[in-house]
Amino acid sequence: MYKKLVMASIACLSVAGCSMGKVSEEPKPTLVFVHGAHLTGESWAKVIEPLKSEGYKTLAVDLPGRNDSQDPKEVTLSVSSKALCQAMSEVKGSVSLVAHSQGGAVVNHALSLCGTNQIQSVAYIAAVAPLKGEKPFGLLSKEDDENYFSAVEYDKKSGWLKIKDPQAFAGVFTFSNSYSVKEEVLALAVNEPAAIADGTVEYANKAFSKLKKLYVYTEHDKIISLSSQQKIGASIKPDAEVVMETGHLPMLTKPESLAKVIDGFVSNNR
């Protein structure tokens, strides 16, 4: 199965304008992008540009805790999910969510707080996707934790997860030797509220089961390893799966390829 997914994704991504399914005449949903830990909505900019050219309306949400002016101890999973709900409430029409990394937990918990009729689908990009009653990072491995904390430290007094070694951070978050890519990662990186990781996801099982789901696996990921992602995929049983040969940040290293995958999935589920 894994080999088939790799070959299918390579075949699709190598063809300009590749679509993963039928094209509907229904209006396109607004794509709402949810960033992961240590990032902001700006991390999606290179993916959003080609999607806008395909006629999509987009919204890249900045979750709470993106700057040091906020008390990180108050930025919980529920606070983050409520902020996402508020952002979606301003969107007219249907929505397709695109969640990266920790953003998957924010999205899943938001299903218990937002009205879900507006949401058509969720694309999980190298993301956690905890089920009801689970913690955000419950399926990650010891090796994932070790890689993460080689670059980040928990400041118990302040409540921040702080980047302690920028070069190590760029190294574990990417699968690239490009100086410019690593510089871009560091320019976008921020400290992260630790409280989000302590939350417990709640949602309506019926609403979650009805959503169309895509999981994008990142083959060379050191933050959420491929083996961890496979466990996550097995737990949520996505309707579509694609493997990309990237590290944890495909939106920065292969944005056009990722945009094609998102477009194909959303087009097939309108």
Side-chain angles (χ1 to χ4, degrees):
M1 174 61 76
Y2 172 68
K3 184 176 181 181
K4 289 181 181 178
L5 287 171
V6 173
M7 296 307 296
S9 63
I10 290 174
C12 178
L13 295 177
S14 65
V15 179
C18 167
S19 175
M20 293 169 62
K22 63 185 179 181
V23 177
S24 170
E25 296 302 321
E26 294 295 321
K28 292 184 176 182
T30 298
L31 302 180
V32 177
F33 292 84
V34 186
H35 61 75
H38 296 285
L39 295 170
T40 70
E42 189 179 352
S43 62
W44 294 106
K46 290 184 176 180
V47 176
I48 286 173
E49 183 178 353
L51 289 167
K52 279 186 172 180
S53 71
E54 292 295 324
Y56 286 98
K57 294 179 180 179
T58 65
L59 172 63
V61 178
D62 268 334
L63 296 174
R66 299 307 98 192
N67 58 69
D68 292 343
S69 67
Q70 295 173 277
D71 183 353
K73 295 178 181 178
E74 295 180 358
V75 183
T76 62
L77 179 61
S78 288
V79 166
S80 300
S81 295
K82 286 176 183 177
L84 173 58
C85 292
Q86 177 60 39
M88 284 196 294
S89 72
E90 299 175 9
V91 176
K92 294 182 179 180
S94 60
V95 163
S96 286
L97 292 160
V98 183
H100 173 244
S101 194
Q102 179 177 268
V106 175
V107 163
N108 283 11
H109 189 59
L111 298 177
S112 69
L113 304 173
C114 311
T116 57
N117 290 337
Q118 185 182 24
I119 304 170
Q120 285 190 351
S121 62
V122 183
Y124 297 94
I125 316 300
V128 298
L131 301 178
K132 185 175 181 178
E134 295 180 348
K135 297 286 187 181
F137 302 108
L139 291 181
L140 271 59
S141 68
K142 181 180 179 181
E143 184 179 5
D144 295 339
D145 286 343
E146 290 173 350
N147 287 335
Y148 176 74
F149 284 106
S150 70
V152 175
E153 63 183 357
Y154 173 47
D155 185 339
K156 186 175 181 179
K157 183 177 181 180
S158 69
W160 286 109
L161 288 163
K162 294 184 174 181
I163 299 170
K164 66 179 180 181
D165 185 334
Q167 293 307 312
F169 183 90
V172 295
F173 269 73
T174 67
F175 180 68
S176 174
N177 292 320
S178 167
Y179 176 80
S180 61
V181 167
K182 290 182 177 180
E183 285 297 296
E184 182 179 15
V185 170
L186 293 177
L188 292 170
V190 297
N191 293 327
E192 183 67 29
I196 295 173
D198 292 329
T200 300
V201 168
E202 297 293 341
Y203 58 75
N205 288 320
K206 187 175 181 181
F208 184 74
S209 65
K210 285 183 176 180
L211 290 174
K212 294 295 183 181
K213 306 174 193 71
L214 164 70
Y215 200 97
V216 176
Y217 302 88
T218 44
E219 188 171 9
H220 304 291
D221 203 316
K222 295 180 180 178
I223 297 299
I224 304 178
S225 60
L226 181 60
S227 60
S228 296
Q229 291 178 37
Q230 289 169 332
K231 291 178 183 177
I232 294 166
S235 73
I236 66 169
K237 299 177 177 61
D239 302 279
E241 299 170 293
V242 170
V243 181
M244 295 185 68
E245 294 184 351
T246 71
H248 193 56
L249 303 175
M251 70 286 296
L252 298 181
T253 57
K254 291 191 176 181
E256 291 186 358
S257 295
L258 181 57
K260 288 178 183 178
V261 170
I262 294 168
D263 178 30
F265 170 69
V266 173
S267 296
N268 195 41
N269 289 285
R270 281 160 50 199

